[in-house]
């Protein structure tokens, strides 16, 4: 699809979305009651009388604000093999949180939640392109790299609830495909040693047109700094095994510049989609080393996609 047509399509979709946003309270209320209808026959729905709730005030009265510790008994029941506890559908995956606000927690994902999560992620990218303008379409002409944690930390549950345990970024990476690539091949994703996985990820992507890098701010920038340092020289030797021409070219860059300039390796790297840690604390480094890249700060957690802000 030609760029101008694609941008107009994204623009039209986003303008429709923003019109709906003007009725956000109605949309949220409709979503709430559709969700209560789904949950009414679950264990938690029966305990709280969700089938009889007709107003938001009733919902607020019957669903107090809770901490994870209040929900943990329900999670433990699901882990033990019980179904229809918090949601009618059994989990398809278990996600382990990073423990940002305390000890790590378990979060059950199901098919419907997965679809909502991934759709939300695509929506904020479209919104970024809409805000920045048609030049942001170059993101779609290249590849995305998500710096991710493990997508396989074992299993959790019993019977129908026994599923793979993963960190959310590792779970997202598993949805990468040749048609929609945003993570390295599964063989690289599965490397357990972090330093080796980052080295092999670097070798893979210096041979590609990288247009977007995403992940937790500190990890994504650490990866880029390792690229600048050529992973202590290891990048050249590993790359030379399969692509000696590109290895020689990068070594020449290194000799000329005293480092591997990110903007020279990936001249089309437009978007830094960063999360978890305030990227603007690193603004001076980003401006110096990636003068043509835009910061795209995502608010994403194991619980879902919340929103974003950008330079434009």
């Amino acid at each position: 699809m030609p760029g101008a047509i694609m941008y107009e399509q994204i623009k039209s979709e986003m303008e429709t979305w923003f019109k709906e946003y003007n009725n956000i309270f109605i949309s949220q209320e409709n979503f709430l009651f559709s969700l209560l209808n789904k949950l009414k026959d679950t264990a938690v729905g029966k305990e709280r009388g969700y089938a009889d709730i007709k107003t938001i005030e009733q919902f607020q009265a019957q669903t107090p604000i809770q901490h994870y510790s209040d929900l943990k008994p329900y999670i433990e029941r699901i882990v033990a093999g019980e179904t229809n506890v918090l949601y009618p559908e059994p989990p398809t995956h278990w996600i382990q949180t990073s423990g940002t606000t305390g000890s790590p927690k378990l979060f059950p994902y199901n098919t419907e939640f997965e679809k909502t999560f991934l759709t939300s992620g695509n929506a904020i990218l479209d919104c970024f392109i809409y805000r920045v303008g048609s030049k942001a379409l170059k993101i779609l002409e290249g590849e995305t790299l998500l710096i991710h944690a493990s997508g396989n930390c074992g299993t959790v549950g019993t019977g129908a609830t026994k599923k793979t345990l993963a960190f959310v970024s590792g779970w997202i990476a598993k949805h990468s495909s040749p048609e929609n690539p945003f993570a390295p091949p599964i063989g690289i994703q599965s490397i357990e040693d972090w330093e080796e996985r980052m080295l092999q990820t670097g070798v893979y992507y210096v041979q590609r047109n990288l247009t977007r890098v995403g992940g937790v701010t500190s990890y994504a920038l650490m990866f880029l700094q390792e690229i600048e340092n050529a992973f202590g020289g290891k990048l050249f030797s590993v790359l030379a095994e399969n692509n000696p021409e590109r290895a020689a070219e990068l070594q020449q860059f290194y000799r000329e510049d005293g480092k591997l300039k990110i903007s020279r390796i990936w001249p089309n790297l437009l978007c830094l989609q960063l999360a978890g840690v305030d990227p603007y604390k690193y603004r001076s480094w980003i401006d110096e080393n990636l003068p043509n890249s835009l910061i795209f700060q995502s608010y994403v957690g194991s619980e879902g996609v919340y929103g974003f802000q950008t330079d434009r």
Side-chain angles (χ1 to χ4, degrees), residues 27 38 101 116 186 202 205 245 254 256 263 265 274-275 306:
S27 298
K38 292 177 183 176
T101 58
T116 300
I186 192 66
Y205 279 98
E245 294 81 8
Y254 194 91
E256 293 172 355
S263 57
I265 300 171
L274 306 174
Y306 310 119

Side-chain angles (χ1 to χ4, degrees), residues 133-144:
S134 58
K135 72 173 186 177
L137 287 173
K138 71 166 59 175
I139 294 172
L140 305 180
E141 297 172 0
E143 295 192 28
T144 291

Side-chain angles (χ1 to χ4, degrees), residues 21 30-31 81 108 122 146 162 170 218 228 250 260 263 291 306:
Y21 181 81
N30 290 337
F31 176 76
N122 291 334
L146 170 65
K162 184 177 181 180
S218 51
E228 277 195 332
L250 294 186
L260 289 179
S263 57
Y306 310 119

Side-chain angles (χ1 to χ4, degrees), residues 165-235:
L165 175 67
F167 289 103
V168 65
S169 60
W171 169 79
I172 294 172
K174 285 188 173 183
H175 287 79
S176 178
S177 67
E179 296 75 27
N180 182 27
F182 50 83
I186 192 66
I188 296 177
Q189 291 185 36
S190 302
I191 297 174
E192 294 185 6
D193 182 82
W194 170 263
E195 293 183 1
E196 180 65 19
R197 172 146 51 96
M198 289 299 96
L199 171 60
Q200 294 296 337
T201 297
V203 169
Y204 180 81
Y205 279 98
V206 296
Q207 303 175 74
R208 283 161 174 77
N209 176 28
L210 189 62
T211 56
R212 179 170 58 140
V213 171
V216 174
T217 301
S218 51
Y219 290 132
L221 297 185
M222 178 181 67
F223 171 78
L224 294 176
Q225 289 168 356
E226 286 284 5
I227 288 289
E228 277 195 332
N229 188 42
F231 286 86
K234 294 178 182 178
L235 180 71

Side-chain angles (χ1 to χ4, degrees), residues 10-194:
I10 291 174
K11 180 180 177 182
S12 176
E13 291 173 355
M14 287 296 100
E15 289 178 347
T16 299
W17 186 87
F18 281 115
K19 287 180 182 178
E20 293 176 355
Y21 181 81
N22 292 329
N23 299 314
I24 190 65
F25 294 110
I26 295 174
S27 298
Q28 287 183 329
E29 185 172 340
N30 290 337
F31 176 76
L32 170 64
F33 285 107
S34 69
L35 185 60
L36 291 176
N37 185 57
K38 292 177 183 176
L39 302 183
K40 64 184 179 181
D41 294 321
T42 63
V44 71
K46 291 177 179 178
E47 290 174 13
R48 298 176 181 176
Y50 283 171
D52 300 321
I53 291 179
K54 305 300 180 185
T55 67
I56 293 177
E57 291 73 21
Q58 284 180 309
F59 170 74
Q60 292 171 332
Q62 294 170 224
T63 308
I65 296 175
Q66 295 182 305
H67 297 285
Y68 180 79
S69 57
D70 300 308
L71 295 174
K72 191 173 180 180
Y74 298 103
I75 298 294
E76 290 174 343
R77 288 167 61 178
I78 300 173
V79 171
E82 187 176 347
T83 57
N84 207 32
V85 179
L86 290 173
Y87 205 83
E89 183 186 354
T92 53
H93 283 81
W94 286 93
I95 299 298
Q96 179 175 306
T97 68
S98 59
T100 304
T101 58
S103 59
K105 305 168 183 67
L106 290 178
F107 195 102
Y109 275 24
N110 58 53
T111 302
E112 186 170 0
F113 182 82
E114 289 182 359
K115 181 180 179 180
T116 300
F117 192 115
L118 295 172
T119 300
S120 299
N122 291 334
I124 63 172
L125 176 59
D126 285 349
C127 196
F128 173 80
I129 293 172
Y130 168 66
R131 290 296 196 190
V132 172
S134 58
K135 72 173 186 177
L137 287 173
K138 71 166 59 175
I139 294 172
L140 305 180
E141 297 172 0
E143 295 192 28
T144 291
L145 165 59
L146 170 65
I147 304 295
H148 62 87
S150 177
N152 189 351
C153 303
T155 59
V156 171
T158 302
T161 69
K162 184 177 181 180
K163 301 295 178 181
T164 300
L165 175 67
F167 289 103
V168 65
S169 60
W171 169 79
I172 294 172
K174 285 188 173 183
H175 287 79
S176 178
S177 67
E179 296 75 27
N180 182 27
F182 50 83
I186 192 66
I188 296 177
Q189 291 185 36
S190 302
I191 297 174
E192 294 185 6
D193 182 82
W194 170 263

